[in-house]
Amino acid sequence: MRAEWELVLDKVMAQQEHSALVVLFELLLTEEERSAVAGRLKVFQTLLHSDMSQRQIAQQYQISIATITRCSNYLKHMTPAQREQIKALTL
């Protein structure tokens, strides 16, 4: 499975045009999956860059508490260096 994921990453990295990335992600992900990925990114950004509670995040962005809890737990198990790397990636 790892080899297949690397192929996906290679295809994404090979795209130089925004419109090509849109087409690729529309091919690879359903609308629901794209929405879930966007929501998860928003949760990570908010958890790392603000002091909003999980309940406030859920209300403001219409994201389930379960998703927010999963993201929060993921961050809790990271080293400080990993958190800083994720923080930089999500700016």
Side-chain angles (χ1 to χ4, degrees), residues 18-72:
H18 180 269
S19 60
L21 276 172
V22 170
V23 170
L24 182 61
F25 281 119
E26 286 177 347
L27 173 71
L28 298 175
L29 302 170
T30 66
E31 175 61 34
E32 186 175 313
E33 290 166 331
R34 291 189 305 271
S35 179
V37 169
R40 188 167 287 190
L41 177 60
K42 179 53 75 178
V43 169
F44 279 118
Q45 288 173 325
T46 306
L47 288 171
L48 289 165
H49 301 285
S50 82
D51 58 354
M52 290 175 66
S53 71
Q54 289 188 16
R55 198 161 304 284
Q56 289 171 317
I57 295 169
Q59 286 179 327
Q60 182 163 342
Y61 300 114
Q62 302 299 303
I63 297 170
S64 75
I65 292 289
T67 295
I68 298 165
T69 300
R70 280 192 296 272
C71 293
S72 178

Side-chain angles (χ1 to χ4, degrees), residues 8-22:
V8 171
L9 294 178
D10 290 345
K11 294 295 181 191
V12 169
M13 293 296 295
Q15 306 311 310
Q16 297 181 4
E17 302 283 328
H18 180 269
S19 60
L21 276 172
V22 170

Side-chain angles (χ1 to χ4, degrees), residues 44 48 75 78 81-91:
F44 279 118
L48 289 165
L75 290 172
M78 289 182 164
Q82 289 171 321
R83 282 180 65 98
E84 286 304 312
Q85 182 180 21
I86 297 299
K87 199 173 191 176
L89 286 171
T90 60
L91 280 176

